[in-house]
mmCIF file of all heavy atoms in Angstrom:
data_model
loop_
_atom_site.group_PDB
_atom_site.id
_atom_site.type_symbol
_atom_site.label_atom_id
_atom_site.label_comp_id
_atom_site.label_asym_id
_atom_site.label_seq_id
_atom_site.Cartn_x
_atom_site.Cartn_y
_atom_site.Cartn_z
ATOM 1 N N HIS A 1 7.442 -6.476 5.373
ATOM 2 C CA HIS A 1 7.810 -5.135 4.913
ATOM 3 C C HIS A 1 8.432 -5.164 3.522
ATOM 4 O O HIS A 1 8.412 -4.150 2.809
ATOM 5 C CB HIS A 1 8.755 -4.480 5.920
ATOM 6 C CG HIS A 1 8.079 -4.059 7.187
ATOM 7 N ND1 HIS A 1 7.988 -4.887 8.289
ATOM 8 C CD2 HIS A 1 7.427 -2.911 7.509
ATOM 9 C CE1 HIS A 1 7.326 -4.250 9.246
ATOM 10 N NE2 HIS A 1 6.970 -3.059 8.797
ATOM 11 N N LYS A 2 8.943 -6.327 3.124
ATOM 12 C CA LYS A 2 9.489 -6.448 1.772
ATOM 13 C C LYS A 2 8.408 -6.228 0.718
ATOM 14 O O LYS A 2 8.672 -5.675 -0.360
ATOM 15 C CB LYS A 2 10.131 -7.816 1.577
ATOM 16 C CG LYS A 2 10.713 -8.037 0.187
ATOM 17 C CD LYS A 2 11.268 -9.432 0.036
ATOM 18 C CE LYS A 2 11.796 -9.647 -1.368
ATOM 19 N NZ LYS A 2 10.779 -9.478 -2.412
ATOM 20 N N SER A 3 7.187 -6.640 1.013
ATOM 21 C CA SER A 3 6.102 -6.440 0.050
ATOM 22 C C SER A 3 5.847 -4.948 -0.176
ATOM 23 O O SER A 3 5.530 -4.521 -1.292
ATOM 24 C CB SER A 3 4.827 -7.138 0.531
ATOM 25 O OG SER A 3 4.360 -6.558 1.745
ATOM 26 N N ILE A 4 5.981 -4.153 0.874
ATOM 27 C CA ILE A 4 5.832 -2.697 0.734
ATOM 28 C C ILE A 4 6.998 -2.142 -0.080
ATOM 29 O O ILE A 4 6.818 -1.320 -0.986
ATOM 30 C CB ILE A 4 5.767 -2.024 2.118
ATOM 31 C CG1 ILE A 4 4.712 -2.688 3.007
ATOM 32 C CG2 ILE A 4 5.488 -0.529 1.967
ATOM 33 C CD1 ILE A 4 4.726 -2.204 4.452
ATOM 34 N N TRP A 5 8.209 -2.618 0.260
ATOM 35 C CA TRP A 5 9.413 -2.192 -0.444
ATOM 36 C C TRP A 5 9.270 -2.461 -1.950
ATOM 37 O O TRP A 5 9.582 -1.592 -2.771
ATOM 38 C CB TRP A 5 10.618 -2.946 0.115
ATOM 39 C CG TRP A 5 11.944 -2.564 -0.460
ATOM 40 C CD1 TRP A 5 12.366 -2.745 -1.741
ATOM 41 C CD2 TRP A 5 13.018 -1.933 0.225
ATOM 42 N NE1 TRP A 5 13.644 -2.298 -1.895
ATOM 43 C CE2 TRP A 5 14.070 -1.781 -0.709
ATOM 44 C CE3 TRP A 5 13.204 -1.507 1.535
ATOM 45 C CZ2 TRP A 5 15.295 -1.216 -0.349
ATOM 46 C CZ3 TRP A 5 14.421 -0.936 1.871
ATOM 47 C CH2 TRP A 5 15.444 -0.788 0.950
ATOM 48 N N ASP A 6 8.804 -3.649 -2.304
ATOM 49 C CA ASP A 6 8.652 -4.008 -3.714
ATOM 50 C C ASP A 6 7.678 -3.072 -4.412
ATOM 51 O O ASP A 6 7.866 -2.708 -5.582
ATOM 52 C CB ASP A 6 8.177 -5.451 -3.845
ATOM 53 C CG ASP A 6 9.257 -6.459 -3.492
ATOM 54 O OD1 ASP A 6 10.440 -6.080 -3.473
ATOM 55 O OD2 ASP A 6 8.912 -7.635 -3.232
ATOM 56 N N ARG A 7 6.633 -2.688 -3.708
ATOM 57 C CA ARG A 7 5.638 -1.789 -4.308
ATOM 58 C C ARG A 7 6.253 -0.414 -4.595
ATOM 59 O O ARG A 7 6.016 0.174 -5.659
ATOM 60 C CB ARG A 7 4.441 -1.663 -3.364
ATOM 61 C CG ARG A 7 3.239 -0.987 -3.987
ATOM 62 C CD ARG A 7 1.982 -1.262 -3.211
ATOM 63 N NE ARG A 7 2.005 -0.745 -1.845
ATOM 64 C CZ ARG A 7 1.926 -1.522 -0.750
ATOM 65 N NH1 ARG A 7 1.832 -2.835 -0.865
ATOM 66 N NH2 ARG A 7 1.938 -0.983 0.454
ATOM 67 N N LEU A 8 7.065 0.088 -3.668
ATOM 68 C CA LEU A 8 7.722 1.378 -3.890
ATOM 69 C C LEU A 8 8.722 1.282 -5.045
ATOM 70 O O LEU A 8 8.825 2.205 -5.868
ATOM 71 C CB LEU A 8 8.446 1.835 -2.617
ATOM 72 C CG LEU A 8 7.610 2.002 -1.352
ATOM 73 C CD1 LEU A 8 8.440 2.648 -0.252
ATOM 74 C CD2 LEU A 8 6.357 2.823 -1.619
ATOM 75 N N ARG A 9 9.442 0.176 -5.098
ATOM 76 C CA ARG A 9 10.411 -0.010 -6.181
ATOM 77 C C ARG A 9 9.714 -0.023 -7.537
ATOM 78 O O ARG A 9 10.224 0.538 -8.513
ATOM 79 C CB ARG A 9 11.185 -1.303 -5.964
ATOM 80 C CG ARG A 9 12.188 -1.625 -7.066
ATOM 81 C CD ARG A 9 13.128 -2.741 -6.643
ATOM 82 N NE ARG A 9 12.413 -3.895 -6.132
ATOM 83 C CZ ARG A 9 11.856 -4.833 -6.885
ATOM 84 N NH1 ARG A 9 11.924 -4.737 -8.213
ATOM 85 N NH2 ARG A 9 11.250 -5.871 -6.343
ATOM 86 N N GLN A 10 8.564 -0.644 -7.600
ATOM 87 C CA GLN A 10 7.806 -0.685 -8.851
ATOM 88 C C GLN A 10 7.367 0.718 -9.267
ATOM 89 O O GLN A 10 7.370 1.055 -10.460
ATOM 90 C CB GLN A 10 6.600 -1.605 -8.695
ATOM 91 C CG GLN A 10 6.969 -3.086 -8.582
ATOM 92 C CD GLN A 10 5.827 -3.953 -8.091
ATOM 93 O OE1 GLN A 10 4.700 -3.470 -7.902
ATOM 94 N NE2 GLN A 10 6.100 -5.228 -7.870
ATOM 95 N N LYS A 11 7.012 1.548 -8.290
ATOM 96 C CA LYS A 11 6.608 2.926 -8.603
ATOM 97 C C LYS A 11 7.781 3.718 -9.175
ATOM 98 O O LYS A 11 7.621 4.475 -10.143
ATOM 99 C CB LYS A 11 6.065 3.612 -7.345
ATOM 100 C CG LYS A 11 4.726 3.078 -6.869
ATOM 101 C CD LYS A 11 4.258 3.824 -5.623
ATOM 102 C CE LYS A 11 2.903 3.297 -5.148
ATOM 103 N NZ LYS A 11 2.441 3.989 -3.906
ATOM 104 N N ILE A 12 8.961 3.541 -8.584
ATOM 105 C CA ILE A 12 10.129 4.270 -9.069
ATOM 106 C C ILE A 12 10.558 3.734 -10.434
ATOM 107 O O ILE A 12 10.980 4.489 -11.316
ATOM 108 C CB ILE A 12 11.274 4.186 -8.041
ATOM 109 C CG1 ILE A 12 10.837 4.843 -6.724
ATOM 110 C CG2 ILE A 12 12.532 4.860 -8.571
ATOM 111 C CD1 ILE A 12 11.835 4.691 -5.593
ATOM 112 N N THR A 13 10.428 2.423 -10.628
ATOM 113 C CA THR A 13 10.720 1.843 -11.943
ATOM 114 C C THR A 13 9.786 2.416 -13.003
ATOM 115 O O THR A 13 10.212 2.707 -14.133
ATOM 116 C CB THR A 13 10.585 0.312 -11.886
ATOM 117 O OG1 THR A 13 11.517 -0.207 -10.925
ATOM 118 C CG2 THR A 13 10.885 -0.310 -13.238
ATOM 119 N N ALA A 14 8.523 2.599 -12.644
ATOM 120 C CA ALA A 14 7.557 3.187 -13.580
ATOM 121 C C ALA A 14 7.950 4.621 -13.933
ATOM 122 O O ALA A 14 7.801 5.054 -15.083
ATOM 123 C CB ALA A 14 6.155 3.152 -12.979
ATOM 124 N N LEU A 15 8.483 5.349 -12.960
ATOM 125 C CA LEU A 15 8.964 6.708 -13.241
ATOM 126 C C LEU A 15 10.132 6.674 -14.219
ATOM 127 O O LEU A 15 10.287 7.571 -15.059
ATOM 128 C CB LEU A 15 9.385 7.399 -11.937
ATOM 129 C CG LEU A 15 8.259 7.872 -11.022
ATOM 130 C CD1 LEU A 15 8.832 8.361 -9.690
ATOM 131 C CD2 LEU A 15 7.455 8.982 -11.681
ATOM 132 N N GLY A 16 10.957 5.640 -14.120
ATOM 133 C CA GLY A 16 12.052 5.496 -15.068
ATOM 134 C C GLY A 16 11.551 5.308 -16.492
ATOM 135 O O GLY A 16 12.108 5.869 -17.446
ATOM 136 N N ARG A 17 10.493 4.517 -16.644
ATOM 137 C CA ARG A 17 9.897 4.345 -17.975
ATOM 138 C C ARG A 17 9.296 5.660 -18.472
ATOM 139 O O ARG A 17 9.369 5.981 -19.671
ATOM 140 C CB ARG A 17 8.836 3.246 -17.932
ATOM 141 C CG ARG A 17 9.438 1.843 -17.746
ATOM 142 C CD ARG A 17 8.406 0.770 -18.032
ATOM 143 N NE ARG A 17 7.365 0.741 -17.015
ATOM 144 C CZ ARG A 17 7.390 -0.012 -15.924
ATOM 145 N NH1 ARG A 17 8.425 -0.808 -15.697
ATOM 146 N NH2 ARG A 17 6.385 0.019 -15.063
ATOM 147 N N GLN A 18 8.718 6.426 -17.554
ATOM 148 C CA GLN A 18 8.177 7.725 -17.934
ATOM 149 C C GLN A 18 9.294 8.682 -18.357
ATOM 150 O O GLN A 18 9.101 9.517 -19.260
ATOM 151 C CB GLN A 18 7.380 8.316 -16.771
ATOM 152 C CG GLN A 18 6.111 7.545 -16.440
ATOM 153 C CD GLN A 18 5.467 7.986 -15.137
ATOM 154 O OE1 GLN A 18 5.583 9.147 -14.734
ATOM 155 N NE2 GLN A 18 4.790 7.065 -14.463
ATOM 156 N N ALA A 19 10.468 8.553 -17.733
ATOM 157 C CA ALA A 19 11.614 9.371 -18.130
ATOM 158 C C ALA A 19 12.049 9.027 -19.551
ATOM 159 O O ALA A 19 12.402 9.916 -20.344
ATOM 160 C CB ALA A 19 12.769 9.170 -17.150
ATOM 161 N N GLU A 20 12.016 7.743 -19.907
ATOM 162 C CA GLU A 20 12.367 7.328 -21.267
ATOM 163 C C GLU A 20 11.381 7.906 -22.282
ATOM 164 O O GLU A 20 11.778 8.357 -23.370
ATOM 165 C CB GLU A 20 12.391 5.803 -21.356
ATOM 166 C CG GLU A 20 13.500 5.154 -20.526
ATOM 167 C CD GLU A 20 13.433 3.629 -20.581
ATOM 168 O OE1 GLU A 20 12.664 3.104 -21.410
ATOM 169 O OE2 GLU A 20 14.131 2.978 -19.797
ATOM 170 N N ILE A 21 10.097 7.901 -21.931
ATOM 171 C CA ILE A 21 9.074 8.470 -22.818
ATOM 172 C C ILE A 21 9.298 9.974 -22.979
ATOM 173 O O ILE A 21 9.209 10.520 -24.090
ATOM 174 C CB ILE A 21 7.669 8.179 -22.264
ATOM 175 C CG1 ILE A 21 7.380 6.673 -22.315
ATOM 176 C CG2 ILE A 21 6.603 8.966 -23.027
ATOM 177 C CD1 ILE A 21 6.106 6.260 -21.603
ATOM 178 N N PHE A 22 9.597 10.642 -21.888
ATOM 179 C CA PHE A 22 9.853 12.085 -21.917
ATOM 180 C C PHE A 22 11.034 12.414 -22.831
ATOM 181 O O PHE A 22 10.975 13.338 -23.657
ATOM 182 C CB PHE A 22 10.102 12.585 -20.502
ATOM 183 C CG PHE A 22 10.651 13.986 -20.425
ATOM 184 C CD1 PHE A 22 9.969 15.048 -20.990
ATOM 185 C CD2 PHE A 22 11.855 14.232 -19.772
ATOM 186 C CE1 PHE A 22 10.484 16.351 -20.919
ATOM 187 C CE2 PHE A 22 12.375 15.514 -19.690
ATOM 188 C CZ PHE A 22 11.687 16.577 -20.266
ATOM 189 N N LEU A 23 12.105 11.638 -22.721
ATOM 190 C CA LEU A 23 13.282 11.892 -23.542
ATOM 191 C C LEU A 23 12.998 11.636 -25.014
ATOM 192 O O LEU A 23 13.508 12.340 -25.889
ATOM 193 C CB LEU A 23 14.442 11.012 -23.063
ATOM 194 C CG LEU A 23 15.001 11.354 -21.677
ATOM 195 C CD1 LEU A 23 15.867 10.219 -21.153
ATOM 196 C CD2 LEU A 23 15.803 12.655 -21.730
ATOM 197 N N ALA A 24 12.169 10.637 -25.293
ATOM 198 C CA ALA A 24 11.896 10.265 -26.686
ATOM 199 C C ALA A 24 10.878 11.173 -27.352
ATOM 200 O O ALA A 24 10.983 11.481 -28.548
ATOM 201 C CB ALA A 24 11.417 8.818 -26.736
ATOM 202 N N SER A 25 9.869 11.612 -26.574
ATOM 203 C CA SER A 25 8.746 12.322 -27.189
ATOM 204 C C SER A 25 8.486 13.712 -26.633
ATOM 205 O O SER A 25 7.728 14.486 -27.230
ATOM 206 C CB SER A 25 7.471 11.483 -27.022
ATOM 207 O OG SER A 25 7.099 11.410 -25.647
ATOM 208 N N GLY A 26 9.074 14.033 -25.498
ATOM 209 C CA GLY A 26 8.782 15.311 -24.850
ATOM 210 C C GLY A 26 7.561 15.259 -23.958
ATOM 211 O O GLY A 26 7.230 16.244 -23.285
ATOM 212 N N GLU A 27 6.883 14.117 -23.945
ATOM 213 C CA GLU A 27 5.680 13.967 -23.121
ATOM 214 C C GLU A 27 6.089 13.755 -21.664
ATOM 215 O O GLU A 27 6.758 12.783 -21.322
ATOM 216 C CB GLU A 27 4.858 12.783 -23.609
ATOM 217 C CG GLU A 27 3.589 12.541 -22.801
ATOM 218 C CD GLU A 27 2.834 11.315 -23.280
ATOM 219 O OE1 GLU A 27 3.078 10.872 -24.426
ATOM 220 O OE2 GLU A 27 2.011 10.790 -22.502
ATOM 221 N N LEU A 28 5.663 14.673 -20.814
ATOM 222 C CA LEU A 28 6.076 14.653 -19.410
ATOM 223 C C LEU A 28 4.868 14.344 -18.536
ATOM 224 O O LEU A 28 3.934 15.150 -18.442
ATOM 225 C CB LEU A 28 6.686 16.001 -19.020
ATOM 226 C CG LEU A 28 7.290 16.147 -17.630
ATOM 227 C CD1 LEU A 28 8.386 15.110 -17.406
ATOM 228 C CD2 LEU A 28 7.848 17.546 -17.435
ATOM 229 N N SER A 29 4.881 13.166 -17.890
ATOM 230 C CA SER A 29 3.767 12.781 -17.026
ATOM 231 C C SER A 29 3.746 13.659 -15.784
ATOM 232 O O SER A 29 4.767 14.241 -15.390
ATOM 233 C CB SER A 29 3.893 11.317 -16.615
ATOM 234 O OG SER A 29 5.008 11.137 -15.746
ATOM 235 N N LEU A 30 2.589 13.737 -15.167
ATOM 236 C CA LEU A 30 2.442 14.563 -13.975
ATOM 237 C C LEU A 30 3.345 14.064 -12.852
ATOM 238 O O LEU A 30 4.000 14.861 -12.166
ATOM 239 C CB LEU A 30 0.984 14.579 -13.509
ATOM 240 C CG LEU A 30 0.698 15.377 -12.225
ATOM 241 C CD1 LEU A 30 1.089 16.839 -12.405
ATOM 242 C CD2 LEU A 30 -0.770 15.248 -11.833
ATOM 243 N N ALA A 31 3.405 12.744 -12.665
ATOM 244 C CA ALA A 31 4.216 12.194 -11.580
ATOM 245 C C ALA A 31 5.693 12.505 -11.787
ATOM 246 O O ALA A 31 6.397 12.911 -10.851
ATOM 247 C CB ALA A 31 4.005 10.678 -11.483
ATOM 248 N N LEU A 32 6.191 12.334 -13.010
ATOM 249 C CA LEU A 32 7.605 12.623 -13.279
ATOM 250 C C LEU A 32 7.878 14.116 -13.187
ATOM 251 O O LEU A 32 8.912 14.538 -12.656
ATOM 252 C CB LEU A 32 7.992 12.098 -14.656
ATOM 253 C CG LEU A 32 9.462 12.296 -15.042
ATOM 254 C CD1 LEU A 32 10.376 11.532 -14.094
ATOM 255 C CD2 LEU A 32 9.710 11.859 -16.483
ATOM 256 N N LYS A 33 6.955 14.932 -13.690
ATOM 257 C CA LYS A 33 7.134 16.389 -13.615
ATOM 258 C C LYS A 33 7.217 16.846 -12.169
ATOM 259 O O LYS A 33 8.064 17.687 -11.811
ATOM 260 C CB LYS A 33 5.990 17.100 -14.323
ATOM 261 C CG LYS A 33 6.138 18.619 -14.349
ATOM 262 C CD LYS A 33 4.978 19.268 -15.078
ATOM 263 C CE LYS A 33 5.213 20.767 -15.251
ATOM 264 N NZ LYS A 33 5.406 21.476 -13.963
ATOM 265 N N THR A 34 6.370 16.285 -11.321
ATOM 266 C CA THR A 34 6.381 16.658 -9.907
ATOM 267 C C THR A 34 7.726 16.336 -9.274
ATOM 268 O O THR A 34 8.301 17.154 -8.534
ATOM 269 C CB THR A 34 5.261 15.925 -9.157
ATOM 270 O OG1 THR A 34 3.995 16.290 -9.728
ATOM 271 C CG2 THR A 34 5.273 16.282 -7.678
ATOM 272 N N MET A 35 8.247 15.144 -9.588
ATOM 273 C CA MET A 35 9.529 14.749 -9.019
ATOM 274 C C MET A 35 10.668 15.608 -9.549
ATOM 275 O O MET A 35 11.499 16.115 -8.787
ATOM 276 C CB MET A 35 9.816 13.277 -9.307
ATOM 277 C CG MET A 35 11.089 12.766 -8.632
ATOM 278 S SD MET A 35 11.532 11.061 -9.076
ATOM 279 C CE MET A 35 12.263 11.363 -10.694
ATOM 280 N N LEU A 36 10.723 15.804 -10.870
ATOM 281 C CA LEU A 36 11.819 16.580 -11.457
ATOM 282 C C LEU A 36 11.787 18.034 -11.007
ATOM 283 O O LEU A 36 12.823 18.629 -10.722
ATOM 284 C CB LEU A 36 11.759 16.491 -12.980
ATOM 285 C CG LEU A 36 12.073 15.125 -13.593
ATOM 286 C CD1 LEU A 36 11.869 15.164 -15.102
ATOM 287 C CD2 LEU A 36 13.491 14.691 -13.263
ATOM 288 N N ASP A 37 10.594 18.619 -10.941
ATOM 289 C CA ASP A 37 10.486 20.011 -10.487
ATOM 290 C C ASP A 37 11.010 20.161 -9.065
ATOM 291 O O ASP A 37 11.712 21.137 -8.743
ATOM 292 C CB ASP A 37 9.035 20.492 -10.557
ATOM 293 C CG ASP A 37 8.577 20.754 -11.982
ATOM 294 O OD1 ASP A 37 9.434 20.798 -12.889
ATOM 295 O OD2 ASP A 37 7.347 20.906 -12.200
ATOM 296 N N SER A 38 10.683 19.187 -8.204
ATOM 297 C CA SER A 38 11.168 19.229 -6.828
ATOM 298 C C SER A 38 12.691 19.108 -6.786
ATOM 299 O O SER A 38 13.364 19.828 -6.032
ATOM 300 C CB SER A 38 10.518 18.095 -6.017
ATOM 301 O OG SER A 38 11.076 18.005 -4.727
#
């Protein structure tokens, strides 16, 4: 189950990188927008 956990963590880490891009450029990915809107 740790392998599944690691995969989810990587997805959330990727959202963090998308948040950095959004703050720097205003570019908002669909995945991050979906999460923030919720």
Side-chain angles (χ1 to χ4, degrees):
H1 287 91
K2 179 183 178 300
S3 64
I4 308 172
W5 183 294
D6 288 342
R7 191 162 63 243
L8 302 188
R9 178 167 51 81
Q10 290 166 4
K11 290 180 179 178
I12 298 174
T13 300
L15 285 172
R17 290 193 291 268
Q18 293 170 30
E20 294 177 11
I21 293 171
F22 168 57
L23 292 165
S25 67
E27 179 183 341
L28 185 57
S29 68
L30 178 60
L32 182 63
K33 183 179 187 302
T34 300
M35 185 185 78
L36 292 176
D37 286 347
S38 173

